[in-house]
Amino acid sequence: MNMVDFNSQFHLSMDWDWWFEFLKGMVKPLAALAVVLIAVILSFMQNLGLEKEMVYSIFRAFLQLSIIGFVLQFIFNQGNSGWIILAYLFMVLVAGYTAGQRAKHVPRGKYVAGVSILAGTALTMFVLVVLNVFPFHSEIHYPVAGMMVGNAMTVTGVTMKRLRDDIKIQLNLVETALALGATPSQATQEQVKRALVIALSPVLDNAKTVGLISLPGAMTGLIMGGASPLEAIQLQIVVMNMLVGASTVSSIMSTYLCWPAFFTKAYQLETKVFSSD
């Protein structure tokens, strides 16, 4: 047997060993479907009609997580920062689309949400790297970016929707302020403040109660992976800090980007934006 044949058989053996370990590891997730079965049975007994949606949701989660697991494995094996950036931009793209769907009555809502999420998460990650809180390494940056993008997506979508709805409710008040010479930022100051407070409150409430009511996912995952509770706490503190920072920057940025769609160049309200329900 020559060296080429030996290497081929070695890599083939490694591939089979990898698949065996992967399938072996999936036994517990499959066993956990038992609790989903209980939920489906209860839904049927209570005539909730959620059985198909429960099964579909779990199947979709199973499929998505499996795919992202292979993607992460590929990215980690490459050790190339280009793949990290590409995956991050894909997350931002999906998050911007999702947040824009929530604020569907905001013109160019998907663009506004995407740019806001990109600005908030990129700035936060840049600061963390500069301060050497996180080294520039794929195995850390991808999950960290995912947590920030997910939170920024929720906060940005709520901010945009709430701002538009509040201006619509208080349309006469805003128009009066504009007629008296106020700028769009001055005329909508209270609406912007209310939208930001409502959107950011869940993030701040979570920070205030973390560790008292529930253990966050990052901390739980580290402990289950064998890390000491003290190490897990240190990372979780960093995570909470970055979530607050990224969410705040993204939500505030979205309010500034919404103004051109809400007002004309003559500082008048775009009535068509607020005519639909």
Side-chain angles (χ1 to χ4, degrees), residues 2-275:
N2 58 37
M3 184 61 66
V4 174
D5 292 336
F6 175 79
N7 288 335
S8 298
Q9 291 186 10
F10 175 76
H11 287 298
L12 182 62
S13 175
M14 290 292 291
D15 289 341
W16 280 111
D17 290 341
W18 186 89
W19 277 106
F20 176 77
E21 290 298 323
F22 172 75
L23 294 175
K24 182 180 177 182
M26 293 303 294
V27 172
K28 291 182 179 179
L30 291 174
L33 289 174
V35 294
V36 178
L37 179 61
I38 294 174
V40 171
I41 293 173
L42 290 174
S43 174
F44 177 77
M45 294 174 62
Q46 295 294 320
N47 295 318
L48 301 179
L50 296 175
E51 299 85 7
K52 290 183 179 179
E53 187 171 354
M54 286 180 178
V55 173
Y56 170 74
S57 300
I58 292 300
F59 173 76
R60 181 170 172 173
F62 180 88
L63 182 63
Q64 290 173 176
L65 289 173
S66 297
I67 292 174
I68 200 62
F70 285 107
V71 172
L72 286 173
Q73 187 70 40
F74 172 80
I75 292 175
F76 293 168
N77 289 339
Q78 299 305 308
N80 190 328
S81 60
W83 286 105
I84 309 171
I85 296 173
L86 186 63
Y88 163 67
L89 292 176
F90 176 76
M91 287 192 295
V92 171
L93 184 66
V94 175
Y97 178 84
T98 305
Q101 285 288 94
R102 176 185 290 272
K104 58 183 178 181
H105 294 303
V106 176
R108 300 181 300 127
K110 297 180 181 65
Y111 163 79
V112 171
V115 173
S116 301
I117 294 169
L118 178 63
T121 55
L123 176 62
T124 304
M125 184 61 71
F126 175 76
V127 172
L128 293 177
V129 171
V130 169
L131 296 176
N132 200 31
V133 176
F134 288 125
F136 192 77
H137 192 276
S138 61
E139 294 186 11
I140 294 179
H141 277 246
Y142 190 90
V144 166
M147 286 186 283
M148 286 194 298
V149 169
N151 275 265
M153 174 191 71
T154 302
V155 170
T156 300
V158 172
T159 300
M160 294 165 59
K161 183 179 185 302
R162 184 70 190 191
L163 178 58
R164 183 261 178 190
D165 291 347
D166 276 5
I167 294 177
K168 180 182 177 181
I169 293 172
Q170 299 179 320
L171 206 62
N172 293 333
L173 184 63
V174 175
E175 287 180 330
T176 301
L178 292 172
L180 293 174
T183 63
S185 61
Q186 292 171 336
T188 58
Q189 184 176 5
E190 289 301 317
Q191 289 79 12
V192 169
K193 180 180 178 181
R194 188 180 301 110
L196 290 172
V197 169
I198 291 174
L200 290 171
S201 290
V203 178
L204 300 178
D205 289 342
N206 188 33
K208 287 186 288 187
T209 60
V210 64
L212 299 177
I213 298 177
S214 62
L215 295 181
M219 182 176 174
T220 303
L222 283 171
I223 293 174
M224 293 179 66
S228 71
L230 294 179
E231 291 176 337
I233 288 171
Q234 292 169 357
L235 178 62
Q236 189 58 52
I237 293 172
V238 174
V239 169
M240 295 307 304
N241 291 340
M242 74 184 188
L243 294 183
V244 172
S247 298
T248 303
V249 174
S250 296
S251 57
I252 293 176
M253 176 67 74
S254 69
T255 63
Y256 282 98
L257 294 179
C258 281
W259 280 333
F262 290 166
F263 299 92
T264 66
K265 293 181 179 179
Y267 287 178
Q268 294 177 331
L269 279 170
E270 289 281 7
T271 53
K272 62 181 180 181
V273 175
F274 305 99
S275 59

